[in-house]
Amino acid sequence: MMRDLSTRHLAPLLLVGLIGLVPLGCGSAEGDNSGDTAAADTSGGGQIGDIAGGDTSIGGGDAVADADSGGGTVDGAGGDGAGADGAGGDVEDAGGGGDAAGDGELNCPGGPGCPCENNGVCDTGLCLWTTSGKTCAQSCISDCPSGMVCEQVPGPGGDNLSVCVSKQLTLCAPCSEDADCTENGIVAACVDYGDAGKFCGATCESDAECPPDYACTDVGGKTKQCKKKEGVCSCSPWAVASGNKTPCTVTNEHGTCTASRGCTADGMEACPAKQAAVETCNALDDDCDGTTDDLPSDAKCSKQAFLATGSKAPCTADADCSEADEKCDEIAGVCLVLLGECFGTPTCSAGGQMICNDVKTPKAELCNLEDDDCDGQVDEDYSYTGPDGATSALGQACGVGGCEGGKVVCSNLTTASCDTAGKAKDEACNAKDDDCDGQTDEAGEVCVDGNLCTKDECDGANQSCSNPPSVECDDGNACTTEACDSKGGTCVVQFYEGSCDDGNACTVGDTCGQDGSGAAVCMPGSTTPDCDDGNVCTDDSCDTGKGCVGLPNAATVACYGGPAGTEGVGLCVGGYKACKEGKLTDTCFTEVVPSAKEACDATDDDCDGVVDNGCAAASAQLKMAGAAGSLKDAKHKLRLHAGSGSSPAAAAGEKHTLRMGWLAWVRAVTGI
């Protein structure tokens, strides 16, 4: 319902009514008052029902209405007014602080776009939320500033008023349902942003209708919605004031917990949802699955038992115990060695208390085919060790020899044994392991003759015994005699009197005696052996370890192989034989023996004392190119005549020296 109007408001209303009857022409943008008339656009500033009166001008002047709360300004078609539709000025979003009056200034307080806290301070009677906060509403018929739209909004009296409202007032505000996003008649959808929660969209058909960082997105509803491309929504003043919340979640490996959060003056709240945890008996929904104390199917409970040993350090949890195998005995409050921990199936009472079902008390492991200490192993502390040192667990094969083919079993609660052990019997000489000890026919058990000085040997294949000596009593002393005592198995030693060998090969006649300490020793003899072996090629001596030895030398021995009486006659002389590797060589080196025949060379070749016996005198003629020589008589005189008048040449005796008149001969031949 419109506000009551006083009498002074009637004149402007009549004026507006009259203007509405005048046929519209083309108004001048410069305010031409030539008679053209433009219809006043009440959305430009003045409100129907809010104009208080004042001067009125048509055609070129400004029609100013003084509103009760400050008054809007209605500009004529030719005036300044952005309020005249299409007449010139831009109409800004009143909610954004634009110039709703058309003259660049807000008519505050109370005028459209002016800040407000309640309806009472606004000329239109409506204080509405805009994207920049609460401002006085601007009346409209159809057109509104950019970013706003003309909508019917309930007024203070209950009647609807046509005012400009923000198109995207609720955009990106937290929400839980579509109704949270409807304000001032503008309907928007509550859009799901995943883990971040839900936030209001804004109805759109294309990206151009959305802010720059938003996209017009199909969100599964009847209309597309502006949705932020990335990042998180910021909190607008309306979002803070609305108190609307969005569901939010916190997820981990145990579950997803849900809460709600909204906008505050400091921005979007962090999600207050708790961290999901493993469900325990506490009358709470720990894993946020909607059910209280629904324990996991693999949940276990336990009962512990402790030994009396351990550091006994104070503790409240196992982490307080540092020694090996220790756990915290939470009842005693000290660290003890854990004997065992048995597990059961837990259930929760109505009061959130845990009840451990089907759990036994741990105890020391016994050999009874049960897991007494609840460590997952049965009788693990019990095993059987065979004669070969190999250890076998319960149920495994065991037994050797006559006990082969057995199985390890519990013989009582504290002992394990091989179940074929009863087959063992005394060992016999038969190539078998009768007593099941892993050995066959072992000495000391078979073929025992009672003599401690013999070995008890068994020929198992033939099942026969022998008893060779087993004790060696010889002390290596030639001056003692030794024997083994069959009863005691020890050696009995006695002195021996007689010859012996003291180990020195260079003594002869050694005899047994006693040294200064009374010990039996071999006394050396007083004589030494004759080591001359009669070999000229060895140097003979006595070695205490080896006795007589002859070392090879390099001696020589004179020799002559010719007939007796010829050595030293004529050319015949004696030679020598050399020692090599302890023996004389067969060859007589450097000897000269008689020749079988005289060589007629002025020497006694046959060593008979006569030189050239049996040799005749020689004469020879030598001719050479007109030269002549002669060799005559036994003195071997040689004369050589080279041509006439040549000088003689002579060969003197046994030296056969030849002297020749060579130059004379050459001259004679060549005629020089």
Side-chain angles (χ1 to χ4, degrees):
M1 173 178 278
M2 294 186 181
R3 295 165 58 187
D4 292 337
L5 302 177
S6 62
T7 306
R8 66 188 184 92
H9 294 155
L10 294 178
L13 283 176
L14 293 174
L15 176 60
V16 173
L18 291 173
I19 293 174
L21 297 176
V22 179
L24 297 177
C26 294
S28 171
E30 299 298 326
D32 184 6
N33 57 1
S34 61
D36 295 336
T37 305
D41 182 2
T42 60
S43 67
Q47 320 275 320
I48 296 178
D50 287 342
I51 302 175
D55 298 333
T56 302
S57 174
I58 301 176
D62 294 336
V64 180
D66 184 12
D68 291 342
S69 60
T73 301
V74 180
D75 293 336
D80 297 333
D85 186 16
D90 295 332
V91 179
E92 295 295 326
D93 181 355
D99 184 7
D103 58 2
E105 296 181 0
L106 297 176
N107 293 319
C108 299
C114 292
C116 60
E117 293 294 332
N118 53 65
N119 294 335
V121 300
C122 296
D123 293 343
T124 57
L126 281 178
C127 180
L128 299 179
W129 280 102
T130 66
T131 55
S132 59
K134 293 182 74 174
T135 61
C136 290
Q138 176 179 316
S139 298
C140 63
I141 295 176
S142 61
D143 295 332
C144 286
S146 176
M148 304 189 80
V149 64
C150 190
E151 284 289 338
Q152 293 284 318
V153 177
D159 293 336
N160 289 336
L161 299 180
S162 294
V163 293
C164 294
V165 298
S166 296
K167 289 182 180 179
Q168 300 174 351
L169 174 63
T170 64
L171 181 61
C172 227
C175 61
S176 58
E177 57 183 356
D178 291 347
D180 294 338
C181 302
T182 299
E183 182 73 8
N184 296 334
I186 303 299
V187 177
C190 187
V191 179
D192 191 349
Y193 275 72
D195 288 342
K198 295 182 177 181
F199 298 88
C200 293
T203 301
C204 61
E205 293 183 358
S206 66
D207 290 348
E209 299 179 53
C210 301
D213 53 345
Y214 289 74
C216 190
T217 306
D218 186 354
V219 296
K222 295 180 179 180
T223 59
K224 291 184 177 181
Q225 298 289 310
C226 293
K227 184 177 180 181
K228 200 169 183 65
K229 295 177 181 178
E230 59 184 359
V232 297
C233 289
S234 58
C235 289
S236 68
W238 180 85
V240 175
S242 70
N244 289 342
K245 302 284 187 178
T246 176
C248 62
T249 58
V250 172
T251 301
N252 59 25
E253 68 273 20
H254 301 299
T256 298
C257 294
T258 303
S260 61
R261 61 176 179 160
C263 286
T264 68
D266 296 325
M268 179 64 67
E269 294 175 316
C271 187
K274 68 179 183 179
Q275 292 283 343
V278 176
E279 194 76 19
T280 60
C281 292
N282 55 8
L284 299 175
D285 181 11
D286 302 289
D287 56 5
C288 301
D289 65 350
T291 305
T292 299
D293 291 349
D294 56 328
L295 299 178
S297 59
D298 59 351
K300 294 181 180 180
C301 56
S302 67
K303 181 183 291 186
Q304 294 178 324
F306 294 85
L307 299 176
T309 57
S311 65
K312 299 183 181 180
C315 66
T316 58
D318 290 343
D320 299 331
C321 302
S322 58
E323 298 295 329
D325 301 323
E326 280 191 345
K327 297 288 185 179
C328 182
D329 184 349
E330 297 180 6
I331 297 176
V334 294
C335 295
L336 296 174
V337 175
L338 181 67
L339 170 63
E341 183 176 12
C342 295
F343 295 90
T345 303
T347 56
C348 299
S349 68
Q353 299 298 315
M354 186 188 71
I355 302 171
C356 196
N357 304 294
D358 305 323
V359 61
K360 66 181 182 180
T361 301
K363 59 183 179 181
E365 194 74 14
L366 297 174
C367 197
N368 56 4
L369 302 180
E370 295 183 10
D371 182 9
D372 302 287
D373 55 5
C374 301
D375 63 352
Q377 304 177 70
V378 175
D379 298 343
E380 72 278 6
D381 296 336
Y382 299 93
S383 60
Y384 168 75
T385 301
D388 58 353
T391 299
S392 302
L394 289 173
Q396 291 183 335
C398 61
V400 294
C403 302
E404 189 175 6
K407 183 173 67 174
V408 180
V409 296
C410 289
S411 53
N412 53 53
L413 290 178
T414 58
T415 307
S417 62
C418 189
D419 62 0
T420 55
K423 295 182 179 181
K425 56 186 178 181
D426 292 338
E427 194 74 9
C429 182
N430 57 6
K432 297 179 181 180
D433 181 11
D434 303 288
D435 57 1
C436 306
D437 64 353
Q439 302 179 64
T440 300
D441 300 341
E442 57 264 39
E445 296 185 25
V446 296
C447 300
V448 178
D449 64 354
N451 186 345
L452 298 182
C453 296
T454 61
K455 296 178 181 178
D456 301 328
E457 294 185 347
C458 167
D459 180 0
N462 297 311
Q463 299 187 15
S464 63
C465 294
S466 61
N467 304 96
S470 62
V471 179
E472 179 60 59
C473 291
D474 186 359
D475 60 2
N477 191 334
C479 293
T480 61
T481 58
E482 304 87 11
C484 180
D485 179 7
S486 63
K487 301 299 182 182
T490 58
C491 294
V492 179
V493 180
Q494 294 179 336
F495 287 108
Y496 165 74
E497 295 180 1
S499 63
C500 62
D501 184 356
D502 67 351
N504 186 342
C506 296
T507 62
V508 178
D510 304 335
T511 59
C512 288
Q514 293 181 334
D515 62 10
S517 65
V521 293
C522 186
M523 308 296 289
S526 59
T527 61
T528 58
D530 181 8
C531 292
D532 187 1
D533 61 359
N535 185 352
V536 70
C537 290
T538 60
D539 295 331
D540 303 322
S541 63
C542 184
D543 182 279
T544 59
K546 298 178 180 179
C548 292
V549 294
L551 300 177
N553 58 31
T556 60
V557 177
C559 58
Y560 181 72
T566 60
E567 183 180 4
V569 178
L571 293 178
C572 293
V573 294
Y576 67 91
K577 289 185 178 182
C579 288
K580 183 177 182 181
E581 297 179 354
K583 294 181 180 180
L584 281 173
T585 60
D586 293 333
T587 303
C588 186
F589 298 100
T590 71
E591 75 170 348
V592 178
V593 298
S595 297
K597 184 180 180 180
E598 191 73 35
C600 299
D601 55 359
T603 59
D604 184 5
D605 302 292
D606 54 5
C607 302
D608 60 355
V610 180
V611 175
D612 293 343
N613 53 314
C615 295
S619 176
Q621 293 292 325
L622 175 65
K623 294 182 179 181
M624 181 177 176
S630 64
L631 180 64
K632 51 189 292 190
D633 64 49
K635 295 184 179 178
H636 307 294
K637 299 294 185 179
L638 174 66
R639 293 184 179 275
L640 177 66
H641 300 279
S644 60
S646 60
S647 60
E654 297 175 357
K655 295 183 179 180
H656 307 289
T657 301
L658 177 66
R659 296 178 180 177
M660 298 179 67
W662 177 255
L663 181 59
W665 177 78
V666 171
R667 287 177 178 175
V669 173
T670 60
I672 299 176

